[in-house]
């Protein structure tokens, strides 16, 4: 029976190998400290956090997330440890909530390895606190117990660590937040929140097989209490609450119901249809449906991985018990026990895989229906919708910047959609990453592919904006990207040729920096209609190639300024760069890299989701080999810019 704890209450733990599951209404940092019998923490090496996630007997998440799963083996903890305190903190500088009073009450559950809840605790009554000691596991008279703490700290993570006796607590808190910021910089933005009235019509995944022969059930990955939807607000950076309302929708009438699915044959799942999510328009429904597919795939794979981990852990325990019994070393009893343990492991894993395969097949069927129905901003370059392309009259909700997939089924691709207007710039990493695709690609080819990827992103942005409402500038100091830039140059969509040399770099950066300054001053003065007549009101994108070659210190400072201040006034940065080549600047450029969404010109599993922590493989956009679709689209964009006609 689950013990539902209140603040200060404790409960005896029946076992020492545990999971601690955390569900919050926004991304939070989860960590744990190891204390002595007085609760004092000896030093930083006794703290598990995203920058140092593993200690003996303890492992925490590597990034801020709305859901966490912490693994604890109390028997494996160092001998001097008498207390494990689970900590939660809000990430700093992520544009999200700055106090726990602004988010749903965090929920913490202590569970067995099979997912069975032992004790739960909901942290209520928090207000100005930005960090909280959620609960503690402590040893008393040889037995381990859990106590609900719920002690909040308005002084944040530093104050909480100092309260536990940690030396140089503020410095350590800064290190932890730096690690969190690096994780957020590589995270995928969250999908639309769901409400009882706005749930996407989902086809329920096939249930896991019922346990038999005394076998425990396959554990689900979802927390006992689902996270509550965030209040709608526009973030300054990813990781915070996002306003998913249509930017030009003023009506408060309820959205129309989704289309009805075709009737299913008896014993068969319902047939998927395109647009089976709620929304004001078909585009909005498809946007919500794509994010729903992303979330369904994440949770289905998390369930399978959790079940496989449980099966492996159970086999290890059974083998450990067998080997610890001297009688198993006589005769063939030990061999039989090992074979039986492995057979039970394989049975549980096979059942979990069968359940996953059913869910994947249903998602693949849905993807086969949704992909052809996507509008041009959401569609791949191989979609026939581009052959009938017309320059739009309004800005779409979102833009496709690539695909995501997981290794359990690499051919099931989920479009990666980002909201418009862009909330952060992009960094296309032209360096050699750890991925297999990068290892098989030469350095020069990586740089060429990176610039071609930038051109595809810029072309799509030009194509989805109304005529003359989006402009692209290019800095190519050495002129090394002439081949990749050819589609933009020959179509005439660039307002000026790519800037080269030190003078060209300085001129473009000065022009865009001035634009940011003037618009910011006009907004602060309430005189947005009094801008100089020579200022282009269109949104601006700056593509920077071959950074840092050809850039002096002043140019670097201007780039940082554009990355930080530009998006709020319609100036966006797209860097094509190898971070290693800019290492001479040291930590000066760290804020620049963190402010940009990093993508790669080849497949790479560098993006993480903030719910279950999967490493998603990102696939950059590509045009079909030999296709002229890009030139055709850019020609129509250029014609619309010249004539004002679509």
């Amino acid at each position: 029976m689950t013990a539902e704890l209140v603040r200060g209450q404790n409960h005896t733990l029946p076992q020492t190998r545990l999971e601690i599951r955390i569900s919050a209404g926004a991304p939070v940092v989860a960590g744990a400290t190891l204390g002595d019998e007085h609760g004092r923490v000896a030093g930083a090496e006794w703290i598990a956090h995203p920058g140092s996630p593993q200690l003996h007997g303890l492992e925490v998440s590597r990034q801020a997330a709305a859901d966490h799963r912490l693994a604890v083996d109390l028997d494996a903890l160092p001998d001097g440890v008498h207390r494990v305190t689970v900590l939660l903190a809000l990430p700093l500088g992520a544009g999200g909530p700055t106090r726990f009073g602004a988010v749903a009450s965090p929920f913490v559950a202590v569970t067995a390895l099979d997912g069975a809840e032992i004790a739960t605790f909901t942290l209520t009554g928090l207000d100005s606190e930005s960090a909280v000691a959620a609960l503690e596991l402590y040893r008393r008279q040889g037995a381990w117990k859990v106590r609900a703490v719920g002690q909040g700290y308005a002084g944040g993570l530093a104050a909480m660590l100092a309260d536990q006796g940690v030396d140089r607590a503020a410095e350590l808190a800064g290190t932890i937040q730096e690690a969190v910021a690096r994780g957020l910089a590589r995270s995928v933005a969250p999908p639309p929140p769901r409400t009882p009235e706005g749930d996407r019509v989902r086809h329920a995944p096939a249930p896991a097989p019922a346990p038999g022969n005394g076998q425990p059930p396959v554990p689900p990955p979802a927390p006992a209490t689902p996270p509550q939807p965030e209040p709608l607000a526009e973030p300054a950076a990813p990781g915070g609450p996002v306003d998913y309302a249509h930017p030009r929708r003023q009506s408060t009438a309820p959205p129309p119901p989704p289309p009805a699915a075709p009737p299913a044959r008896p014993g068969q799942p319902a047939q998927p249809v395109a647009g089976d999510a709620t929304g004001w328009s078909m585009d909005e429904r498809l946007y919500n449906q794509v994010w729903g597919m992303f979330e369904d795939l994440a949770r289905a794979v998390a369930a399978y991985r959790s079940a496989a981990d449980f099966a492996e852990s159970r086999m290890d325990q059974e083998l450990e018990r067998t080997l610890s019994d001297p009688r198993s070393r006589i005769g063939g009893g030990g061999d039989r026990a090992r074979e039986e343990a492995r057979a039970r492991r394989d049975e549980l894993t096979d059942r979990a895989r069968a359940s996953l395969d059913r869910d994947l097949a249903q998602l693949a069927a849905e993807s086969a229906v949704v992909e052809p129905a996507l509008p041009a901003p959401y569609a791949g370059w191989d979609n026939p919708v581009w052959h009938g392309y017309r320059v739009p009259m309004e800005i779409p909700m979102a833009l496709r910047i690539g695909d995501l997939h997981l290794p359990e089924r690499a051919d099931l691709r989920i479009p990666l959609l980002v909201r418009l207007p862009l909330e952060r710039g992009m960094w296309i990493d032209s360096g050699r990453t750890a991925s297999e695709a990068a290892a098989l690609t030469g350095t020069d080819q990586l740089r060429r592919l990176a610039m071609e990827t930038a051109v595809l992103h810029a072309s799509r942005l030009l194509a989805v904006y109304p005529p003359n409402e989006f402009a692209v500038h290019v800095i190519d100091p050495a002129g090394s990207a002439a081949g990749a830039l050819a589609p933009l140059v020959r179509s005439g969509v660039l307002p000026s040729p790519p800037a080269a040399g030190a003078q060209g770099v300085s001129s473009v950066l000065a022009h865009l920096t001035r634009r940011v300054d003037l618009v910011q001053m006009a907004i602060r003065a309430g005189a947005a209609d009094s801008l100089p007549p020579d200022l282009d009101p269109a949104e601006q994108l700056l593509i920077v190639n071959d950074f840092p070659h050809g850039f002096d210190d002043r140019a670097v400072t201007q780039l940082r300024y554009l990355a930080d201040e530009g998006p709020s006034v319609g100036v966006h940065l797209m860097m094509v760069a190898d971070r290693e080549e800019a290492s001479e600047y040291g930590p000066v450029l760290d804020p620049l890299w963190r402010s940009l969404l990093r993508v790669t010109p080849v497949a790479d599993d560098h993006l993480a989701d903030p719910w279950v922590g999967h490493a998603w493989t990102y696939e950059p956009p590509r045009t079909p080999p030999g296709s002229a679709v890009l030139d055709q689209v850019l020609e129509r964009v250029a014609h619309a810019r010249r004539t004002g006609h679509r």
Side-chain angles (χ1 to χ4, degrees):
M1 182 177 179
T2 303
E4 298 181 1
L5 305 180
V6 297
R7 187 175 278 107
Q9 189 176 3
N10 59 46
H11 181 73
T12 301
L13 295 172
Q15 57 198 78
T16 56
R17 299 186 69 181
L18 307 163
E19 274 193 352
I20 298 175
R21 302 185 179 188
I22 298 164
S23 175
V28 298
V29 183
T33 61
L34 305 181
D36 58 19
E37 61 270 21
H38 303 296
R40 290 187 59 82
V41 179
E45 66 276 7
W46 284 45
I47 303 175
H49 57 81
S52 177
Q54 291 183 325
L55 300 176
H56 286 296
L58 178 64
E59 183 173 2
V60 304
S61 303
R62 297 175 182 269
Q63 64 179 43
D67 295 336
H68 290 273
R69 300 175 67 164
L70 282 58
V72 182
D73 185 350
L74 297 174
D75 289 337
L77 295 174
D79 293 337
V81 174
H82 288 260
R83 186 177 302 177
V84 180
T85 304
V86 177
L87 314 176
L88 303 180
L90 293 171
L92 299 179
T98 58
R99 59 187 186 89
F100 275 106
V103 303
S105 298
F107 175 85
V108 183
V110 180
T111 74
L113 294 182
D114 62 358
E117 290 183 349
I118 298 171
T120 63
F121 175 42
T122 301
L123 284 76
T124 58
L126 298 176
D127 186 12
S128 61
E129 299 89 345
S130 59
V132 59
L135 54 78
E136 62 183 15
L137 313 178
Y138 64 98
R139 182 157 42 191
R140 181 68 55 82
Q141 297 179 349
W144 283 94
K145 297 184 177 182
V146 56
R147 176 186 291 121
V149 180
Q151 174 64 53
Y153 294 84
L157 192 57
M160 181 165 53
L161 295 175
D163 193 42
Q164 297 190 34
V166 179
D167 293 333
R168 303 172 71 178
E171 181 179 336
L172 178 58
T175 301
I176 295 173
Q177 292 289 0
E178 281 287 320
V180 172
R182 289 193 297 270
L184 286 175
R186 60 187 286 269
S187 66
V188 181
R194 300 184 179 193
T195 64
E197 296 81 10
D199 275 350
R200 185 168 82 98
V201 179
R202 298 300 305 138
H203 313 301
N213 300 324
Q215 303 292 340
V218 176
T225 298
Q228 300 300 311
E230 271 296 296
L232 298 180
E234 200 64 36
V242 180
D243 183 359
Y244 288 97
H246 194 283
R248 290 168 301 283
R249 180 68 62 180
Q250 302 299 327
S251 171
T252 58
R265 293 191 297 271
Q268 298 294 323
Q271 296 300 307
V273 295
D276 73 345
T278 57
W280 295 100
S281 64
M282 178 57 81
D283 286 3
E284 191 168 355
R285 291 175 186 169
L286 288 168
Y287 172 80
N288 290 335
Q289 185 173 13
V290 167
W291 274 114
M293 292 165 60
F294 174 90
E295 187 175 339
D296 289 348
L297 178 57
R299 292 189 179 277
V301 171
Y304 166 71
R305 293 180 181 179
S306 176
D309 289 345
F310 166 74
E312 195 71 30
S313 175
R314 172 185 171 137
M315 183 190 71
D316 291 342
Q317 292 180 24
E318 292 177 348
L319 292 178
E320 184 178 351
R321 287 195 298 267
T322 299
L323 295 175
S324 64
D325 186 355
R327 292 172 296 179
S328 66
R329 303 177 192 139
I330 303 174
D335 293 337
R336 287 193 301 272
R338 281 189 285 270
E339 291 175 1
E340 291 171 357
R342 293 190 180 100
R344 284 190 288 269
R345 185 270 314 271
D346 293 343
E347 179 189 359
L348 283 176
T349 303
D350 291 346
R351 286 159 50 197
R353 182 70 210 199
S355 179
L356 173 66
D357 288 342
R358 285 191 293 270
D359 292 344
L360 293 179
Q362 184 68 11
L363 282 169
E366 184 172 14
S367 178
V369 171
V370 169
E371 191 71 43
L374 294 177
Y378 306 172
W381 286 107
D382 57 349
N383 193 309
V385 70
W386 286 106
H387 296 293
Y389 165 77
R390 297 184 65 191
V391 178
M393 297 305 296
E394 62 177 14
I395 303 172
M397 286 186 60
L399 184 83
R400 185 174 187 159
I401 62 170
D403 295 335
L404 299 173
H405 64 84
L406 292 172
E408 279 74 9
R409 182 159 178 176
D411 64 329
L412 179 55
R413 307 292 176 88
I414 306 296
L416 176 55
L417 304 179
V418 296
R419 287 294 301 269
L420 291 180
L422 294 173
E423 295 166 353
R424 64 194 298 200
M426 296 175 65
W427 163 32
I428 302 173
D429 191 349
S430 61
R432 187 170 299 281
T433 64
S435 71
E436 180 180 355
L440 298 175
T441 308
T443 301
D444 292 340
Q445 187 180 3
L446 275 175
R447 291 178 176 174
R448 178 180 60 79
L449 290 174
M451 198 61 198
E452 289 177 355
T453 302
V455 169
L456 287 176
H457 288 311
S459 300
R460 184 180 288 262
L461 281 163
L462 286 166
V464 303
Y465 270 76
N468 298 310
E469 290 194 20
F470 197 90
V472 175
H473 307 268
V474 180
I475 290 179
D476 185 20
S480 59
L485 291 169
L488 295 177
V489 174
R490 64 172 172 255
S491 64
V493 295
L494 297 179
S496 58
Q503 184 175 356
V505 171
S506 175
S507 174
V508 172
L509 291 178
H511 168 71
L512 292 177
T513 302
R514 171 179 176 268
R515 184 189 187 281
V516 172
D517 290 339
L518 290 175
V519 175
Q520 283 187 334
M521 287 189 293
I523 292 175
R524 284 195 293 265
D529 55 348
S530 301
L531 291 168
D534 64 333
L535 189 142
D536 183 3
E539 295 209 19
Q540 311 286 313
L541 173 69
L542 173 61
I543 302 176
V544 177
N545 182 44
D546 208 21
F547 179 83
H549 305 296
F551 293 82
D552 56 20
D553 291 345
R554 175 178 173 80
V556 170
T557 301
Q558 289 174 314
L559 285 174
R560 288 185 54 186
Y561 177 72
L562 292 177
D564 291 339
E565 304 295 335
S568 63
V569 292
V571 177
H572 312 285
L573 192 60
M574 185 177 292
M575 300 281 292
V576 181
D578 179 358
R579 185 170 182 175
E580 291 300 319
E581 294 184 351
S583 59
E584 64 185 67
Y585 287 95
V588 172
L589 289 181
D590 285 350
L592 173 64
W593 305 123
R594 288 199 301 268
S595 68
L596 304 173
L597 173 63
R598 175 177 173 252
V599 295
T600 52
V602 293
D604 191 276
D605 60 350
H606 68 282
L607 289 175
D609 70 64
W611 304 279
V612 290
H614 294 323
W616 291 78
T617 297
Y618 168 79
E619 293 279 354
R622 289 283 181 266
T623 54
S627 172
V629 62
L630 182 62
D631 289 330
Q632 293 170 1
V633 168
L634 290 177
E635 286 174 6
R636 293 175 187 174
V637 171
H639 179 267
R641 291 169 65 90
R642 291 192 301 267
T643 65
H645 301 300
R646 301 167 61 199

